[in-house]
């Protein structure tokens, strides 16, 4: 079983320098403990136990005090007179890791925290990217027919157009004969058998792709579409998927099915990006068992959510969580 590092949440692999705390039994990457290589090798080659920073904080609650603070505490005591040589655990690498931010958990993630952008600011951000980068957007349209014009208006404000435009809740069916084209894009769709849901993708005409039906989630009330992009500048092609899980769909069944797909992608060492509306409130990871299980499942297959903030789109009157820009 793969265990996530307690600091960066990335998987602790057997071929990496990792260490387990003898108290809490959590795993740490060497770089996340701030141990020196010499200290790590000594711990690995002897029976000396390793105690992580979190457990040290619990056992020695005053260990983060600086020398001056401890001096003030003992200013009326004769316990120590040589303050210049007074030991301070925070100056010892074995007990020192980067401090976690308790007020904004986004700052503790080892992925770039999400930011809110205006279309103009986003255009400036995209211009700074490598020309070989991938620009993905996602819209929950709550009816593609009704809101396509609003997407067109937003795209006109961008100086660089997305490579992939993923759509959830298209609400299309085979009886609709609609003009839902966007110039210079090819549209793929997977319609829902119900009046809700449905997914689609607009792919720039210059991009070569392959539809990956073998990755489809075979659970009811879950619409999904997967493609593989041909990448000349990468050893591996990139997989992009869009998912729309209906609110009444069985969550454990969805998680189990998605996990099998992600394991398949992980074993093939494919780079993949998934967007859409899964209808699981990620902000309730501490209070909702389904959210906690879903995030734990992602960690076990070495995946992580890139969108770390709530998403609102009131200015274009689309549904909450409707607009996601993922610049890669």
């Amino acid at each position: 079983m793969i265990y996530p590092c307690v600091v960066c949440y990335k998987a602790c692999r057997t071929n990496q320098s990792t260490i387990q705390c003898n108290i809490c039994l959590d795993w740490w990457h060497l770089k996340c403990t701030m141990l020196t290589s010499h200290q790590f090798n000594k711990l690995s080659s002897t029976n000396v136990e390793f105690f992580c920073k979190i457990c040290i904080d619990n056992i020695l609650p005053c260990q983060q005090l600086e020398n001056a603070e401890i001096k003030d505490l003992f200013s009326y005591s004769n316990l120590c007179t040589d303050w210049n040589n007074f030991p301070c655990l925070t100056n010892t690498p074995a007990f020192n890791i980067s401090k976690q931010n308790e007020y904004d958990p986004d700052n503790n993630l080892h992925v770039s925290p999400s930011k809110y952008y205006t279309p103009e600011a986003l255009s400036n951000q995209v211009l700074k990217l490598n020309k070989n980068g991938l620009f993905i957007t996602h819209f929950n349209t709550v009816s593609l027919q009704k809101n396509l014009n609003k997407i067109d208006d937003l795209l006109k404000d961008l100086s660089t157009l997305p490579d992939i435009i993923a759509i959830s809740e298209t609400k299309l069916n085979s009886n609709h004969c609609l003009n839902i084209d966007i110039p210079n894009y090819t549209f793929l769709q997977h319609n829902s058998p119900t009046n809700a849901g449905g997914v689609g993708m607009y792919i720039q005409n210059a991009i070569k792709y392959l539809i990956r039906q073998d990755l489809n989630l075979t659970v009811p009330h879950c619409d999904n579409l997967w493609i593989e992009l041909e990448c000349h500048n990468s050893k591996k092609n990139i997989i992009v998927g869009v998912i729309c899980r209906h609110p009444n769909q069985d969550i454990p069944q969805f998680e189990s099915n998605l996990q099998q797909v992600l394991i398949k992608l992980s074993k093939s060492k494919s780079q993949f990006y998934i967007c859409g509306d899964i209808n699981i409130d990620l902000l309730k990871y501490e209070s909702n068992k389904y959210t906690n299980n879903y995030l734990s499942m992602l960690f076990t297959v070495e995946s992580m959510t890139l969108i770390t903030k709530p998403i609102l789109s009131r200015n274009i009157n689309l549904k909450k969580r409707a607009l996601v820009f993922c610049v890669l």
Side-chain angles (χ1 to χ4, degrees):
M1 183 175 181
I2 299 175
Y3 293 95
C5 172
V6 73
V7 176
C8 68
Y9 304 120
K10 295 181 180 179
C12 289
R13 298 175 177 272
T14 55
N15 61 347
Q16 294 176 323
S17 296
T18 60
I19 192 167
Q20 186 182 32
C21 174
N22 288 85
I23 298 178
C24 65
L25 303 182
D26 283 331
W27 284 89
W28 296 65
H29 290 115
L30 169 58
K31 63 180 180 180
C32 296
T33 63
M34 299 302 290
L35 288 166
T36 65
S37 296
H38 174 73
Q39 291 168 329
F40 175 79
N41 292 332
K42 185 176 180 179
L43 287 168
S44 302
S45 59
T46 65
N47 293 325
V48 177
E49 294 182 332
F50 167 71
F51 304 134
C52 70
K53 174 69 161 54
I54 297 174
C55 291
I56 289 294
D57 283 346
N58 292 331
I59 297 172
L60 304 174
C62 297
Q63 65 91 13
Q64 290 191 1
L65 293 178
E66 300 294 338
N67 286 358
E69 295 173 304
I70 295 179
K71 181 179 178 180
D72 289 337
L73 288 175
F74 291 93
S75 58
Y76 300 103
S77 172
N78 294 322
L79 292 176
C80 184
T81 57
D82 187 5
W83 295 108
N84 292 329
N85 296 318
F86 191 84
C88 182
L89 288 180
T90 52
N91 296 331
T92 306
F95 296 101
N96 186 22
I97 64 171
S98 301
K99 291 185 178 180
Q100 299 278 299
N101 188 322
E102 298 178 357
Y103 299 101
D104 188 357
D106 291 344
N107 293 332
N108 300 329
L109 297 174
H110 282 228
V111 294
S112 299
S114 302
K115 296 182 180 179
Y116 297 118
Y117 291 101
T118 63
E120 181 181 1
L122 180 64
S123 294
N124 294 333
Q125 187 70 17
V126 172
L127 291 174
K128 301 177 184 178
L129 297 177
N130 186 304
K131 64 179 180 179
N132 296 323
L134 183 64
F135 184 10
I136 302 175
T137 67
H138 165 248
F139 296 91
N140 182 322
T141 57
V142 200
S143 176
L144 182 59
Q145 179 186 10
K146 293 181 179 179
N147 290 301
L148 181 60
N149 62 322
K150 297 170 184 175
I151 296 176
D152 285 332
D153 291 341
L154 184 58
L155 294 178
K156 290 175 183 177
D157 292 332
L158 299 175
S159 58
T160 301
L161 292 177
D163 299 297
I164 306 291
I165 304 173
I167 307 290
S168 58
E169 288 204 64
T170 56
K171 294 189 177 181
L172 300 175
N173 60 56
S174 57
N175 296 325
H176 286 166
C177 296
L178 306 171
N179 181 12
I180 52 176
D181 294 335
I182 296 179
N184 301 316
Y185 284 89
T186 299
F187 182 64
L188 304 177
Q189 65 190 88
H190 177 88
N191 297 337
S192 171
T194 69
N195 293 327
V199 295
M201 274 193 213
Y202 289 96
I203 308 165
Q204 281 204 23
N205 291 338
I207 297 177
K208 295 183 179 180
Y209 66 91
L210 174 69
I211 299 176
R212 291 290 303 270
Q213 292 185 348
D214 60 302
L215 299 177
N216 286 352
L217 305 181
T218 56
V219 293
H221 307 295
C222 181
D223 312 309
N224 56 111
L225 177 65
W226 303 79
I227 62 172
E228 180 175 341
L229 306 181
E230 183 177 322
C231 302
H232 299 289
N233 300 306
S234 175
K235 294 181 181 179
K236 287 281 187 178
N237 291 344
I238 296 177
I239 308 296
V240 179
V242 56
I243 297 175
C244 180
R245 190 193 73 83
H246 298 211
N248 60 345
Q249 198 274 336
D250 183 79
I251 294 180
Q253 185 184 36
F254 165 75
E255 291 177 352
S256 176
N257 209 271
L258 178 60
Q259 183 178 29
Q260 296 306 311
V261 172
L262 297 185
I263 289 175
K264 181 177 182 177
L265 292 174
S266 181
K267 287 183 176 179
S268 67
K269 299 188 182 303
S270 299
Q271 186 176 9
F272 57 90
Y273 300 95
I274 302 173
C275 43
D277 192 351
I278 60 171
N279 280 296
I280 297 176
D281 191 345
L282 301 185
L283 297 179
K284 294 182 178 179
Y285 64 92
E286 291 185 330
S287 59
N288 188 293
K289 68 175 183 178
Y290 295 118
T291 300
N292 186 281
N293 291 341
Y294 173 74
L295 292 175
S296 298
M297 180 273 292
L298 292 182
F299 293 150
T300 61
V301 292
E302 304 171 44
S303 305
M304 181 173 287
T305 57
L306 295 178
I307 307 302
T308 60
K309 294 184 183 296
I311 301 164
L312 303 176
S313 302
R314 295 172 182 170
N315 58 320
I316 56 173
N317 196 29
L318 295 182
K319 183 181 178 181
K320 292 182 180 179
R321 304 187 306 278
L323 175 60
V324 175
F325 290 100
C326 183
V327 185
L328 311 166

